[in-house]
Amino acid sequence: MTYCCGILVRDGLVMIADTRTNAGLDNVSTFRKLHVFEEPGRHVLALSTAGNLSISQAVISTLQEGLENPETGAKETLATCSSMFRATQLVGRAVRHVYDLYGTALKEADLRFDVSFLFGGQVNGGRMRLFMIYAAGNFIECTSDTPFLQIGEHKYGKPVLDRSITFDTDLLDALKSGLISMDSTMRSNLGVGMPIDILAARRDAGQAEVNYRIEAGEPYYHDLRERWSAALRAAHTAIPRPPYGR
Amino acid sequence: MTYCCGILVRDGLVMIADTRTNAGLDNVSTFRKLHVFEEPGRHVLALSTAGNLSISQAVISTLQEGLENPETGAKETLATCSSMFRATQLVGRAVRHVYDLYGTALKEADLRFDVSFLFGGQVNGGRMRLFMIYAAGNFIECTSDTPFLQIGEHKYGKPVLDRSITFDTDLLDALKSGLISMDSTMRSNLGVGMPIDILAARRDAGQAEVNYRIEAGEPYYHDLRERWSAALRAAHTAIPRPPYGR
Protein backbone atom coordinates (compact mmCIF):
# COMPACT_ATOMS: atom_id res chain seq x y z
CA MET A 1 0.00 0.00 0.00
CA THR A 2 0.85 3.66 -0.13
CA TYR A 3 -0.27 6.90 1.43
CA CYS A 4 0.60 10.26 -0.12
CA CYS A 5 -0.98 13.63 0.49
CA GLY A 6 -0.45 17.00 -1.08
CA ILE A 7 -1.59 20.23 0.57
CA LEU A 8 -1.76 23.58 -1.22
CA VAL A 9 -2.23 26.57 1.06
CA ARG A 10 -1.83 30.28 0.45
CA ASP A 11 1.78 30.12 1.71
CA GLY A 12 2.85 27.20 -0.44
CA LEU A 13 2.91 23.47 -1.08
CA VAL A 14 3.39 20.42 1.18
CA MET A 15 3.94 16.91 -0.19
CA ILE A 16 4.25 13.82 2.01
CA ALA A 17 4.69 10.17 1.03
CA ASP A 18 5.47 6.94 2.80
CA THR A 19 7.93 4.44 1.32
CA ARG A 20 6.45 0.99 1.92
CA THR A 21 5.73 -1.27 -1.02
CA ASN A 22 4.48 -4.81 -1.08
CA ALA A 23 4.22 -7.41 -3.79
CA GLY A 24 1.85 -9.76 -2.03
CA LEU A 25 1.70 -9.77 1.74
CA ASP A 26 5.07 -11.43 2.26
CA ASN A 27 7.27 -9.23 0.09
CA VAL A 28 7.58 -5.85 1.76
CA SER A 29 10.21 -3.33 0.71
CA THR A 30 11.15 0.35 0.90
CA PHE A 31 10.97 2.49 -2.26
CA ARG A 32 10.93 6.25 -2.69
CA LYS A 33 7.52 7.49 -3.84
CA LEU A 34 8.12 11.25 -3.56
CA HIS A 35 10.28 12.55 -6.39
CA VAL A 36 11.54 16.13 -6.29
CA PHE A 37 12.66 17.96 -9.43
CA GLU A 38 14.28 21.27 -8.61
CA GLU A 39 16.18 23.92 -10.52
CA PRO A 40 16.48 26.79 -8.02
CA GLY A 41 14.96 29.98 -9.34
CA ARG A 42 13.27 28.18 -12.29
CA HIS A 43 11.13 25.39 -10.91
CA VAL A 44 10.31 23.31 -7.83
CA LEU A 45 8.27 20.21 -8.69
CA ALA A 46 7.24 17.22 -6.58
CA LEU A 47 5.65 14.06 -7.96
CA SER A 48 4.31 11.37 -5.60
CA THR A 49 3.12 8.00 -6.84
CA ALA A 50 0.69 5.24 -5.88
CA GLY A 51 -0.23 1.97 -7.56
CA ASN A 52 1.86 -0.53 -9.52
CA LEU A 53 5.55 0.24 -8.85
CA SER A 54 6.74 -0.91 -12.28
CA ILE A 55 4.35 1.55 -13.91
CA SER A 56 5.17 4.52 -11.67
CA GLN A 57 8.93 3.92 -12.01
CA ALA A 58 8.59 3.69 -15.80
CA VAL A 59 6.76 7.03 -15.79
CA ILE A 60 9.52 8.66 -13.72
CA SER A 61 12.22 7.26 -16.03
CA THR A 62 10.28 8.42 -19.10
CA LEU A 63 10.09 11.93 -17.65
CA GLN A 64 13.84 11.87 -17.03
CA GLU A 65 14.65 10.67 -20.55
CA GLY A 66 12.18 13.09 -22.09
CA LEU A 67 9.22 12.64 -24.45
CA GLU A 68 8.85 13.90 -27.97
CA ASN A 69 6.31 16.70 -28.39
CA PRO A 70 3.85 15.34 -31.01
CA GLU A 71 3.38 18.83 -32.53
CA THR A 72 6.92 20.24 -32.61
CA GLY A 73 8.97 17.03 -32.57
CA ALA A 74 11.16 18.52 -29.82
CA LYS A 75 12.20 16.43 -26.81
CA GLU A 76 10.40 17.64 -23.68
CA THR A 77 11.32 17.11 -20.04
CA LEU A 78 9.96 18.72 -16.89
CA ALA A 79 12.87 21.17 -17.22
CA THR A 80 11.67 22.39 -20.63
CA CYS A 81 8.00 22.90 -19.69
CA SER A 82 7.07 26.56 -19.45
CA SER A 83 4.22 26.22 -16.92
CA MET A 84 2.71 23.90 -14.30
CA PHE A 85 -0.11 23.09 -16.70
CA ARG A 86 2.33 22.05 -19.43
CA ALA A 87 4.36 20.02 -16.93
CA THR A 88 1.23 18.22 -15.72
CA GLN A 89 0.23 17.46 -19.31
CA LEU A 90 3.71 16.02 -19.85
CA VAL A 91 3.30 13.69 -16.85
CA GLY A 92 -0.07 12.61 -18.28
CA ARG A 93 1.54 11.93 -21.66
CA ALA A 94 4.29 9.91 -19.97
CA VAL A 95 1.57 7.80 -18.30
CA ARG A 96 -0.08 7.13 -21.67
CA HIS A 97 3.32 6.37 -23.21
CA VAL A 98 3.91 3.69 -20.54
CA TYR A 99 0.36 2.41 -21.09
CA ASP A 100 1.05 2.04 -24.80
CA LEU A 101 4.16 0.00 -24.00
CA TYR A 102 2.82 -2.30 -21.26
CA GLY A 103 -0.98 -1.94 -21.05
CA THR A 104 -1.81 -4.91 -23.26
CA ALA A 105 0.73 -7.22 -21.64
CA LEU A 106 -0.51 -6.26 -18.17
CA LYS A 107 -4.10 -6.99 -19.21
CA GLU A 108 -3.02 -10.38 -20.55
CA ALA A 109 -1.49 -11.07 -17.13
CA ASP A 110 -4.79 -10.02 -15.47
CA LEU A 111 -3.16 -6.94 -13.96
CA ARG A 112 -4.84 -3.56 -13.90
CA PHE A 113 -2.97 -0.54 -15.23
CA ASP A 114 -3.17 0.89 -11.74
CA VAL A 115 -1.29 4.11 -11.08
CA SER A 116 -2.01 7.61 -9.79
CA PHE A 117 0.05 10.67 -8.98
CA LEU A 118 0.03 13.90 -7.05
CA PHE A 119 2.02 16.57 -8.84
CA GLY A 120 2.62 19.99 -7.36
CA GLY A 121 4.95 22.93 -7.70
CA GLN A 122 5.74 26.18 -9.38
CA VAL A 123 7.41 26.92 -12.73
CA ASN A 124 8.98 30.17 -13.91
CA GLY A 125 7.31 32.27 -11.21
CA GLY A 126 3.86 31.16 -12.44
CA ARG A 127 1.00 30.05 -10.23
CA MET A 128 1.81 27.39 -7.63
CA ARG A 129 -0.51 24.46 -8.40
CA LEU A 130 -1.28 20.92 -7.28
CA PHE A 131 -2.82 18.18 -9.46
CA MET A 132 -3.96 14.58 -9.15
CA ILE A 133 -3.15 12.61 -12.30
CA TYR A 134 -5.05 9.41 -13.15
CA ALA A 135 -4.09 6.29 -15.08
CA ALA A 136 -5.71 7.68 -18.23
CA GLY A 137 -3.37 10.69 -18.11
CA ASN A 138 -6.24 13.03 -17.24
CA PHE A 139 -6.04 15.14 -14.10
CA ILE A 140 -7.88 17.34 -11.62
CA GLU A 141 -6.57 20.40 -9.83
CA CYS A 142 -6.64 21.17 -6.13
CA THR A 143 -8.49 24.39 -5.32
CA SER A 144 -8.82 26.57 -2.23
CA ASP A 145 -12.22 25.02 -1.35
CA THR A 146 -10.59 21.68 -0.48
CA PRO A 147 -6.90 22.49 -0.30
CA PHE A 148 -5.55 18.93 -0.20
CA LEU A 149 -5.46 15.81 -2.36
CA GLN A 150 -4.62 12.23 -1.38
CA ILE A 151 -3.70 9.04 -3.22
CA GLY A 152 -3.35 5.44 -2.01
CA GLU A 153 -4.76 4.42 1.38
CA HIS A 154 -6.43 7.77 1.95
CA LYS A 155 -9.35 7.16 4.30
CA TYR A 156 -7.63 6.68 7.67
CA GLY A 157 -5.83 10.01 7.35
CA LYS A 158 -8.66 12.08 5.89
CA PRO A 159 -10.52 13.05 9.11
CA VAL A 160 -7.39 14.81 10.44
CA LEU A 161 -7.02 16.86 7.24
CA ASP A 162 -10.77 17.56 6.99
CA ARG A 163 -10.64 19.16 10.43
CA SER A 164 -7.36 21.04 10.32
CA ILE A 165 -6.59 22.30 6.82
CA THR A 166 -7.93 25.45 5.21
CA PHE A 167 -6.35 27.53 2.47
CA ASP A 168 -5.19 29.99 5.16
CA THR A 169 -3.32 27.39 7.24
CA ASP A 170 0.35 28.27 7.77
CA LEU A 171 2.76 26.24 5.61
CA LEU A 172 4.52 24.47 8.49
CA ASP A 173 1.19 23.88 10.28
CA ALA A 174 0.00 22.21 7.08
CA LEU A 175 3.13 20.04 7.14
CA LYS A 176 2.38 19.18 10.77
CA SER A 177 -1.22 18.19 9.87
CA GLY A 178 0.07 16.05 7.04
CA LEU A 179 2.44 14.27 9.41
CA ILE A 180 -0.41 13.60 11.88
CA SER A 181 -2.54 12.31 9.00
CA MET A 182 0.34 9.99 8.02
CA ASP A 183 0.61 8.80 11.64
CA SER A 184 -3.11 7.90 11.76
CA THR A 185 -2.72 5.95 8.52
CA MET A 186 0.39 4.06 9.65
CA ARG A 187 -1.25 3.06 12.93
CA SER A 188 -4.30 1.60 11.17
CA ASN A 189 -2.66 0.02 8.10
CA LEU A 190 0.65 -1.84 8.28
CA GLY A 191 0.93 -1.49 4.51
CA VAL A 192 1.93 2.15 5.02
CA GLY A 193 5.28 2.65 6.76
CA MET A 194 8.40 4.63 7.62
CA PRO A 195 10.56 6.30 6.47
CA ILE A 196 8.49 9.26 5.28
CA ASP A 197 9.60 11.69 2.57
CA ILE A 198 8.46 15.29 2.92
CA LEU A 199 8.66 18.47 0.90
CA ALA A 200 7.53 21.97 1.75
CA ALA A 201 7.93 24.77 -0.79
CA ARG A 202 7.01 28.35 -0.01
CA ARG A 203 5.25 30.22 -2.81
CA ASP A 204 7.68 32.27 -4.94
CA ALA A 205 10.74 31.16 -2.91
CA GLY A 206 12.23 29.51 -6.00
CA GLN A 207 13.39 26.43 -4.09
CA ALA A 208 12.13 23.95 -1.51
CA GLU A 209 12.24 25.02 2.13
CA VAL A 210 12.00 21.43 3.41
CA ASN A 211 13.18 18.39 1.44
CA TYR A 212 13.78 15.69 3.97
CA ARG A 213 13.42 12.00 4.81
CA ILE A 214 12.07 11.23 8.30
CA GLU A 215 13.56 7.93 9.45
CA ALA A 216 12.02 5.68 12.12
CA GLY A 217 12.91 6.98 15.59
CA GLU A 218 13.60 10.54 14.39
CA PRO A 219 13.10 12.72 17.54
CA TYR A 220 10.64 15.39 16.31
CA TYR A 221 8.32 12.91 14.62
CA HIS A 222 8.51 10.53 17.55
CA ASP A 223 7.55 13.40 19.85
CA LEU A 224 4.70 14.51 17.53
CA ARG A 225 3.22 10.98 17.60
CA GLU A 226 3.49 10.77 21.39
CA ARG A 227 1.97 14.22 21.91
CA TRP A 228 -0.88 13.51 19.51
CA SER A 229 -1.68 10.20 21.22
CA ALA A 230 -1.59 11.79 24.67
CA ALA A 231 -3.79 14.69 23.54
CA LEU A 232 -6.37 12.33 22.05
CA ARG A 233 -6.44 10.31 25.26
CA ALA A 234 -6.87 13.49 27.29
CA ALA A 235 -9.60 14.78 24.95
CA HIS A 236 -11.40 11.47 25.24
CA THR A 237 -11.23 11.51 29.03
CA ALA A 238 -12.41 15.13 29.25
CA ILE A 239 -15.68 14.41 27.40
CA PRO A 240 -18.45 13.38 29.84
CA ARG A 241 -19.84 9.87 29.60
CA PRO A 242 -23.03 9.37 27.54
CA PRO A 243 -26.21 10.03 29.55
CA TYR A 244 -28.44 7.74 27.47
CA GLY A 245 -30.86 5.17 28.80
CA ARG A 246 -33.41 2.84 27.35
CA MET B 1 -23.12 3.65 2.64
CA THR B 2 -23.18 2.42 6.21
CA TYR B 3 -21.01 2.50 9.27
CA CYS B 4 -21.57 0.08 12.16
CA CYS B 5 -19.22 -0.84 14.96
CA GLY B 6 -19.46 -3.35 17.76
CA ILE B 7 -17.24 -3.18 20.85
CA LEU B 8 -16.91 -6.02 23.34
CA VAL B 9 -15.17 -5.06 26.59
CA ARG B 10 -14.96 -6.83 29.92
CA ASP B 11 -18.00 -4.86 31.19
CA GLY B 12 -20.23 -5.61 28.22
CA LEU B 13 -21.23 -4.88 24.66
CA VAL B 14 -21.68 -1.66 22.64
CA MET B 15 -23.32 -1.58 19.20
CA ILE B 16 -23.61 1.57 17.07
CA ALA B 17 -25.08 2.02 13.60
CA ASP B 18 -25.96 4.92 11.36
CA THR B 19 -29.22 4.95 9.37
CA ARG B 20 -28.38 6.39 5.95
CA THR B 21 -29.01 4.32 2.85
CA ASN B 22 -28.61 5.22 -0.76
CA ALA B 23 -29.68 3.59 -3.99
CA GLY B 24 -27.47 5.54 -6.33
CA LEU B 25 -26.23 8.96 -5.34
CA ASP B 26 -29.58 10.70 -5.72
CA ASN B 27 -31.81 8.41 -3.68
CA VAL B 28 -30.90 8.83 -0.03
CA SER B 29 -33.13 7.54 2.77
CA THR B 30 -33.19 6.63 6.45
CA PHE B 31 -33.50 2.98 7.47
CA ARG B 32 -32.79 1.28 10.78
CA LYS B 33 -29.68 -0.91 10.60
CA LEU B 34 -29.39 -1.83 14.28
CA HIS B 35 -31.96 -4.43 15.32
CA VAL B 36 -32.36 -5.32 18.99
CA PHE B 37 -33.93 -8.60 20.12
CA GLU B 38 -34.52 -8.65 23.84
CA GLU B 39 -36.29 -10.95 26.30
CA PRO B 40 -35.26 -9.60 29.71
CA GLY B 41 -33.54 -12.24 31.80
CA ARG B 42 -33.19 -14.63 28.84
CA HIS B 43 -31.37 -12.83 26.03
CA VAL B 44 -30.17 -9.48 24.76
CA LEU B 45 -29.16 -9.60 21.10
CA ALA B 46 -28.20 -6.86 18.65
CA LEU B 47 -27.76 -7.34 14.91
CA SER B 48 -26.40 -4.54 12.72
CA THR B 49 -26.35 -4.76 8.95
CA ALA B 50 -24.37 -3.43 5.98
CA GLY B 51 -24.68 -4.03 2.27
CA ASN B 52 -27.71 -4.52 0.04
CA LEU B 53 -30.81 -3.40 2.00
CA SER B 54 -33.16 -5.90 0.32
CA ILE B 55 -30.88 -8.75 1.42
CA SER B 56 -30.38 -7.55 4.99
CA GLN B 57 -34.12 -6.88 5.45
CA ALA B 58 -34.94 -10.34 4.08
CA VAL B 59 -32.53 -11.87 6.61
CA ILE B 60 -34.18 -9.97 9.48
CA SER B 61 -37.66 -11.04 8.34
CA THR B 62 -36.50 -14.65 7.97
CA LEU B 63 -35.17 -14.58 11.54
CA GLN B 64 -38.51 -13.20 12.74
CA GLU B 65 -40.52 -15.86 10.89
CA GLY B 66 -38.18 -18.64 11.98
CA LEU B 67 -36.17 -21.22 10.05
CA GLU B 68 -36.58 -24.98 10.13
CA ASN B 69 -33.75 -26.84 11.81
CA PRO B 70 -32.50 -29.30 9.13
CA GLU B 71 -31.75 -31.98 11.75
CA THR B 72 -34.77 -31.79 14.07
CA GLY B 73 -37.37 -30.25 11.75
CA ALA B 74 -38.29 -27.78 14.52
CA LYS B 75 -38.84 -24.10 13.73
CA GLU B 76 -36.01 -22.01 15.18
CA THR B 77 -35.92 -18.31 15.96
CA LEU B 78 -33.41 -16.25 17.92
CA ALA B 79 -35.71 -16.80 20.93
CA THR B 80 -35.31 -20.58 20.74
CA CYS B 81 -31.51 -20.66 20.39
CA SER B 82 -29.82 -21.90 23.55
CA SER B 83 -26.50 -20.06 23.12
CA MET B 84 -24.83 -17.16 21.29
CA PHE B 85 -23.04 -19.66 19.05
CA ARG B 86 -26.33 -21.30 18.05
CA ALA B 87 -27.94 -17.90 17.48
CA THR B 88 -25.03 -16.82 15.26
CA GLN B 89 -25.29 -20.03 13.27
CA LEU B 90 -29.00 -19.31 12.81
CA VAL B 91 -28.23 -15.85 11.40
CA GLY B 92 -25.72 -17.49 9.04
CA ARG B 93 -28.35 -20.01 7.94
CA ALA B 94 -30.85 -17.19 7.36
CA VAL B 95 -28.26 -15.49 5.11
CA ARG B 96 -27.84 -18.70 3.09
CA HIS B 97 -31.62 -19.13 2.93
CA VAL B 98 -31.95 -15.66 1.40
CA TYR B 99 -29.06 -16.43 -0.96
CA ASP B 100 -30.86 -19.58 -2.14
CA LEU B 101 -33.95 -17.49 -2.85
CA TYR B 102 -32.39 -14.47 -4.59
CA GLY B 103 -28.71 -15.20 -5.30
CA THR B 104 -29.18 -16.37 -8.88
CA ALA B 105 -31.56 -13.56 -9.81
CA LEU B 106 -29.20 -10.97 -8.32
CA LYS B 107 -26.30 -12.41 -10.32
CA GLU B 108 -28.40 -12.24 -13.48
CA ALA B 109 -28.99 -8.55 -12.72
CA ASP B 110 -25.20 -8.09 -12.27
CA LEU B 111 -25.65 -7.43 -8.56
CA ARG B 112 -23.36 -8.89 -5.94
CA PHE B 113 -24.87 -10.75 -2.98
CA ASP B 114 -23.37 -8.08 -0.76
CA VAL B 115 -24.28 -8.22 2.92
CA SER B 116 -22.50 -8.38 6.28
CA PHE B 117 -23.55 -8.27 9.91
CA LEU B 118 -22.30 -7.62 13.39
CA PHE B 119 -24.11 -9.77 15.91
CA GLY B 120 -23.54 -9.48 19.64
CA GLY B 121 -25.18 -10.32 22.91
CA GLN B 122 -25.74 -12.84 25.64
CA VAL B 123 -28.11 -15.81 25.85
CA ASN B 124 -29.25 -17.70 28.95
CA GLY B 125 -26.45 -16.31 31.15
CA GLY B 126 -23.82 -17.75 28.79
CA ARG B 127 -20.75 -15.93 27.55
CA MET B 128 -21.31 -12.46 26.07
CA ARG B 129 -19.98 -12.64 22.53
CA LEU B 130 -19.67 -10.55 19.37
CA PHE B 131 -19.44 -11.91 15.81
CA MET B 132 -19.02 -10.62 12.27
CA ILE B 133 -21.11 -12.65 9.81
CA TYR B 134 -20.25 -12.71 6.12
CA ALA B 135 -22.38 -13.19 2.99
CA ALA B 136 -21.49 -16.89 2.91
CA GLY B 137 -23.00 -17.33 6.38
CA ASN B 138 -19.57 -17.95 7.92
CA PHE B 139 -18.41 -15.76 10.79
CA ILE B 140 -15.51 -14.63 12.95
CA GLU B 141 -15.58 -13.79 16.65
CA CYS B 142 -14.28 -10.67 18.36
CA THR B 143 -11.64 -11.43 21.00
CA SER B 144 -9.98 -9.41 23.75
CA ASP B 145 -6.87 -8.79 21.58
CA THR B 146 -8.85 -6.50 19.27
CA PRO B 147 -12.09 -5.85 21.12
CA PHE B 148 -14.04 -4.25 18.28
CA LEU B 149 -15.41 -5.13 14.85
CA GLN B 150 -16.64 -2.83 12.09
CA ILE B 151 -18.71 -3.21 8.91
CA GLY B 152 -19.43 -0.77 6.09
CA GLU B 153 -17.37 2.37 5.67
CA HIS B 154 -14.92 1.40 8.42
CA LYS B 155 -11.64 3.17 7.67
CA TYR B 156 -12.37 6.77 8.68
CA GLY B 157 -13.44 5.71 12.17
CA LYS B 158 -10.80 3.05 12.82
CA PRO B 159 -7.93 5.27 14.06
CA VAL B 160 -10.09 6.53 16.96
CA LEU B 161 -10.95 2.97 18.03
CA ASP B 162 -7.37 1.72 17.52
CA ARG B 163 -6.15 4.33 19.97
CA SER B 164 -8.85 4.26 22.62
CA ILE B 165 -10.34 0.79 23.03
CA THR B 166 -8.89 -2.05 25.07
CA PHE B 167 -10.72 -4.96 26.67
CA ASP B 168 -10.51 -3.10 30.01
CA THR B 169 -12.20 0.07 28.75
CA ASP B 170 -15.29 1.02 30.79
CA LEU B 171 -18.59 0.25 29.02
CA LEU B 172 -19.77 3.86 28.72
CA ASP B 173 -16.27 5.01 27.72
CA ALA B 174 -16.43 2.42 24.94
CA LEU B 175 -19.79 3.87 23.88
CA LYS B 176 -18.19 7.34 23.90
CA SER B 177 -15.31 6.10 21.70
CA GLY B 178 -17.78 4.53 19.31
CA LEU B 179 -19.68 7.82 19.05
CA ILE B 180 -16.44 9.71 18.30
CA SER B 181 -15.56 7.09 15.68
CA MET B 182 -19.02 7.60 14.13
CA ASP B 183 -18.47 11.37 14.14
CA SER B 184 -15.14 11.01 12.27
CA THR B 185 -16.86 8.82 9.69
CA MET B 186 -19.82 11.14 9.19
CA ARG B 187 -17.53 14.16 8.72
CA SER B 188 -15.52 12.43 6.00
CA ASN B 189 -18.28 10.50 4.18
CA LEU B 190 -21.68 12.00 3.47
CA GLY B 191 -22.99 8.47 2.82
CA VAL B 192 -23.02 7.89 6.59
CA GLY B 193 -25.51 10.01 8.51
CA MET B 194 -27.78 10.76 11.45
CA PRO B 195 -29.78 9.56 13.29
CA ILE B 196 -27.57 7.01 15.07
CA ASP B 197 -28.90 3.93 16.85
CA ILE B 198 -26.97 2.76 19.90
CA LEU B 199 -27.10 -0.14 22.30
CA ALA B 200 -25.07 -0.82 25.44
CA ALA B 201 -25.59 -4.03 27.40
CA ARG B 202 -23.75 -4.75 30.61
CA ARG B 203 -22.53 -8.33 31.02
CA ASP B 204 -24.99 -10.48 33.01
CA ALA B 205 -27.49 -7.61 33.45
CA GLY B 206 -30.12 -9.56 31.48
CA GLN B 207 -31.29 -6.51 29.57
CA ALA B 208 -29.89 -3.53 27.67
CA GLU B 209 -28.71 -0.55 29.69
CA VAL B 210 -28.87 1.82 26.70
CA ASN B 211 -31.18 1.31 23.72
CA TYR B 212 -31.56 4.68 22.11
CA ARG B 213 -31.74 6.67 18.88
CA ILE B 214 -29.63 9.84 18.75
CA GLU B 215 -31.36 12.34 16.48
CA ALA B 216 -29.64 15.25 14.74
CA GLY B 217 -29.18 18.15 17.17
CA GLU B 218 -29.43 15.98 20.30
CA PRO B 219 -27.59 18.00 23.02
CA TYR B 220 -25.08 15.43 24.40
CA TYR B 221 -23.93 14.28 20.97
CA HIS B 222 -23.75 17.83 19.67
CA ASP B 223 -21.57 18.72 22.68
CA LEU B 224 -19.37 15.62 22.19
CA ARG B 225 -18.72 16.61 18.57
CA GLU B 226 -17.91 20.21 19.53
CA ARG B 227 -15.61 19.17 22.37
CA TRP B 228 -13.80 16.62 20.23
CA SER B 229 -13.23 19.18 17.45
CA ALA B 230 -11.99 21.80 19.90
CA ALA B 231 -9.67 19.30 21.60
CA LEU B 232 -8.19 18.22 18.26
CA ARG B 233 -7.60 21.85 17.29
CA ALA B 234 -5.94 22.51 20.65
CA ALA B 235 -3.81 19.35 20.36
CA HIS B 236 -2.73 20.39 16.89
CA THR B 237 -1.77 23.88 18.05
CA ALA B 238 0.15 22.56 21.07
CA ILE B 239 2.51 20.44 18.95
CA PRO B 240 5.59 22.46 17.90
CA ARG B 241 6.10 23.17 14.19
CA PRO B 242 8.36 20.80 12.24
CA PRO B 243 12.05 21.75 12.49
CA TYR B 244 13.07 20.17 9.17
CA GLY B 245 15.17 21.79 6.46
CA ARG B 246 16.63 20.69 3.16
Side-chain angles (χ1 to χ4, degrees):
Chain A
M1 286 303 302
T2 288
Y3 177 50
C4 306
C5 69
I7 306 170
L8 186 69
V9 292
R10 191 183 305 282
D11 292 349
L13 173 75
V14 167
M15 299 276 281
I16 304 179
D18 84 312
T19 53
R20 188 159 295 173
T21 64
N22 60 294
L25 279 175
D26 55 353
N27 187 356
V28 174
S29 311
T30 299
F31 281 89
R32 174 172 280 272
K33 302 172 196 170
L34 178 63
H35 303 268
V36 176
F37 304 84
E38 197 180 35
E39 200 179 304
R42 188 191 177 278
H43 63 255
V44 186
L45 299 168
L47 182 65
S48 64
T49 67
N52 184 304
L53 185 66
S54 77
I55 301 173
S56 60
Q57 287 190 339
V59 170
I60 301 286
S61 294
T62 301
L63 289 170
Q64 286 164 341
E65 298 247 323
L67 262 176
E68 207 170 271
N69 183 317
E71 287 160 26
T72 64
K75 199 93 166 179
E76 287 188 326
T77 67
L78 292 176
T80 67
C81 292
S82 57
S83 71
M84 264 311 287
F85 184 64
R86 292 293 181 96
T88 307
Q89 285 183 309
L90 184 68
V91 177
R93 277 175 46 219
V95 176
R96 295 319 288 171
H97 178 75
V98 172
Y99 180 81
D100 291 341
L101 292 175
Y102 302 108
T104 306
L106 286 169
K107 193 171 280 177
E108 282 169 10
D110 272 337
L111 291 168
R112 275 197 317 130
F113 189 80
D114 171 28
V115 73
S116 58
F117 302 86
L118 297 180
F119 184 52
Q122 192 172 14
V123 174
N124 274 339
R127 204 147 48 88
M128 187 165 247
R129 300 172 83 167
L130 170 64
F131 296 90
M132 184 188 303
I133 304 165
Y134 300 99
N138 58 330
F139 47 84
I140 60 168
E141 180 170 8
C142 185
T143 68
S144 55
D145 288 330
T146 304
F148 63 87
L149 294 171
Q150 306 168 288
I151 54 175
E153 182 61 281
H154 62 281
K155 293 187 178 182
Y156 299 116
K158 185 164 181 283
V160 167
L161 299 179
D162 278 335
R163 286 177 197 270
S164 64
I165 302 283
T166 72
F167 192 61
D168 294 319
T169 301
D170 169 87
L171 183 67
L172 294 181
D173 283 341
L175 174 57
K176 191 166 72 177
S177 290
L179 292 174
I180 295 170
S181 170
M182 179 62 79
D183 173 48
S184 295
T185 309
M186 289 194 299
R187 278 179 193 263
S188 290
N189 186 331
L190 288 180
V192 176
M194 306 280 290
I196 302 167
D197 292 314
I198 60 175
L199 173 124
R202 209 167 280 276
R203 203 177 287 268
D204 299 328
Q207 62 177 6
E209 182 167 321
V210 177
N211 183 0
Y212 188 73
R213 167 164 288 192
I214 302 173
E215 300 282 353
E218 190 274 330
Y220 170 80
Y221 194 54
H222 179 81
D223 179 63
L224 173 145
R225 303 181 78 173
E226 293 290 312
R227 282 175 187 253
W228 185 249
S229 277
L232 292 195
R233 276 195 302 275
H236 188 272
T237 306
I239 294 175
R241 286 185 178 157
Y244 306 121
R246 293 170 60 82
Chain B
M1 284 303 303
T2 288
Y3 177 52
C4 306
C5 69
I7 306 171
L8 186 70
V9 293
R10 191 182 305 280
D11 292 349
L13 172 74
V14 167
M15 299 277 281
I16 304 178
D18 85 312
T19 54
R20 187 158 295 173
T21 64
N22 60 293
L25 278 174
D26 54 354
N27 186 356
V28 174
S29 312
T30 299
F31 281 89
R32 174 172 280 272
K33 303 173 196 171
L34 177 64
H35 304 267
V36 177
F37 305 84
E38 196 181 35
E39 200 179 303
R42 188 194 177 277
H43 64 254
V44 186
L45 300 167
L47 184 64
S48 64
T49 66
N52 184 305
L53 185 66
S54 78
I55 300 173
S56 61
Q57 288 190 338
V59 170
I60 302 286
S61 294
T62 302
L63 289 169
Q64 286 164 341
E65 299 247 323
L67 262 176
E68 208 170 88
N69 183 317
E71 287 158 27
T72 65
K75 199 94 166 178
E76 289 187 325
T77 66
L78 292 175
T80 67
C81 292
S82 57
S83 69
M84 265 311 288
F85 183 65
R86 291 293 180 95
T88 308
Q89 286 183 309
L90 184 67
V91 177
R93 277 175 45 219
V95 176
R96 293 319 288 172
H97 178 74
V98 173
Y99 180 81
D100 291 341
L101 291 174
Y102 303 107
T104 306
L106 286 169
K107 192 170 279 175
E108 283 169 11
D110 271 337
L111 290 169
R112 275 197 317 131
F113 189 80
D114 171 28
V115 74
S116 58
F117 302 86
L118 297 179
F119 183 54
Q122 192 172 16
V123 174
N124 274 338
R127 204 148 48 89
M128 187 165 247
R129 301 171 82 168
L130 171 63
F131 296 90
M132 184 189 301
I133 304 166
Y134 300 99
N138 58 330
F139 45 85
I140 60 168
E141 181 170 7
C142 185
T143 68
S144 56
D145 288 331
T146 305
F148 63 87
L149 294 171
Q150 305 167 288
I151 54 175
E153 182 61 280
H154 62 281
K155 292 187 180 182
Y156 299 115
K158 185 165 182 281
V160 167
L161 299 178
D162 277 335
R163 286 177 198 270
S164 64
I165 301 284
T166 72
F167 191 61
D168 294 318
T169 301
D170 170 87
L171 183 67
L172 294 182
D173 283 341
L175 175 57
K176 191 166 71 176
S177 291
L179 292 174
I180 296 170
S181 170
M182 180 62 80
D183 173 48
S184 295
T185 308
M186 289 193 300
R187 279 179 192 264
S188 290
N189 188 331
L190 287 180
V192 177
M194 304 283 288
I196 301 167
D197 291 314
I198 61 174
L199 173 125
R202 210 167 281 275
R203 202 177 288 270
D204 299 327
Q207 62 177 7
E209 182 168 321
V210 177
N211 184 0
Y212 189 73
R213 168 164 288 192
I214 302 172
E215 300 282 353
E218 189 274 332
Y220 170 80
Y221 195 53
H222 179 80
D223 179 62
L224 173 144
R225 301 182 80 174
E226 293 291 311
R227 283 176 187 252
W228 185 249
S229 279
L232 292 195
R233 277 195 301 275
H236 188 272
T237 306
I239 295 175
R241 287 185 176 156
Y244 305 121
R246 293 171 59 84

